[in-house]
Amino acid sequence: MTPVVETPRLLLRGRTLADFPAVAAMQADGDVMRYIAGAPVPEEDAWSKFARMEGFWALTGIGFWLVQEKASGAVIGEVGLADFRRAIVPPLGPDPEFGWMLAASAQGKGYASEALSAALNWGDARFPGARFCCIIDEDNAPSVRLAERHGFRRERTATYKAKPIAVFRRPSASSA
């Protein structure tokens, strides 16, 4: 079961079938997906990703939350951590991988930082002493800034799906 995490403006929660249209719309937006998938994601693929995220929680106890704006009730993004078992060269290693995505209408309002902070706090409590990683397209300057503001540091460039990708790592909260 997906835990619920609350911030002053946001609710990080699991998915319901009623949430799929909002998530599919985000993934169909070329501006949102430019650095994540390289192009808009077809509805069929969006559905597979949507269902997979709930599966992560059920199977591993970690996954991505939906980010819901409390004031409007709108689903505005996703944030979380998972073991995607990515075929990255060289491999990421055992550290849980964080990621985030926000609807274009929600960007520039501090929601990503608020959601990532809450998710990292949850992760630090769940995995004391763990280091976390994330991968970011090297051209995604806003995401790089967000990661760095939250303690991630660029570690190296790796290859993922035949393209270069920046690997960031965050030291454990206990060593910070």
Side-chain angles (χ1 to χ4, degrees):
M1 179 149 192
T2 307
V4 174
V5 176
E6 196 167 341
T7 75
R9 299 183 298 163
L10 305 172
L11 194 62
L12 280 56
R13 62 169 179 80
R15 289 154 180 72
T16 68
L17 289 175
D19 297 319
F20 180 65
V23 174
M26 276 184 274
Q27 292 189 17
D29 184 330
D31 288 335
V32 171
M33 299 308 292
R34 175 178 52 233
Y35 299 118
I36 299 170
V41 173
E43 187 172 322
E44 178 181 355
D45 295 338
W47 173 252
S48 293
K49 291 178 182 201
F50 183 83
R52 178 177 69 174
M53 289 303 169
E54 278 306 300
F56 275 128
W57 284 109
L59 292 172
T60 67
I62 60 175
F64 277 52
W65 291 272
L66 285 183
V67 179
Q68 180 179 8
E69 182 184 43
K70 285 182 182 178
S72 68
V75 171
I76 60 168
E78 297 181 329
V79 66
L81 68 164
D83 176 4
F84 291 108
R85 300 187 185 207
R86 295 187 195 272
I88 289 181
V89 178
L92 291 175
D95 300 329
E97 178 186 341
F98 266 83
W100 48 87
M101 172 182 76
L102 280 184
S105 62
Q107 294 176 14
K109 299 177 181 180
Y111 289 140
S113 186
E114 188 172 328
L116 181 56
S117 179
L120 284 166
N121 287 340
W122 183 90
D124 287 337
R126 174 120 162 104
F127 301 102
R131 296 180 340 137
F132 299 121
C133 66
C134 65
I135 61 171
I136 304 173
D137 184 296
E138 294 182 342
D139 294 330
N140 189 348
S143 205
V144 168
R145 285 191 302 271
L146 177 67
E148 289 174 342
R149 276 196 312 270
H150 289 276
F152 288 91
R153 296 293 168 250
R154 185 184 177 109
E155 180 181 85
R156 60 186 162 89
T157 299
T159 302
Y160 181 56
K161 295 187 176 182
K163 295 182 181 176
I165 193 82
V167 175
F168 288 74
R169 204 154 312 262
R170 180 178 170 264
S172 72
S174 60
S175 68

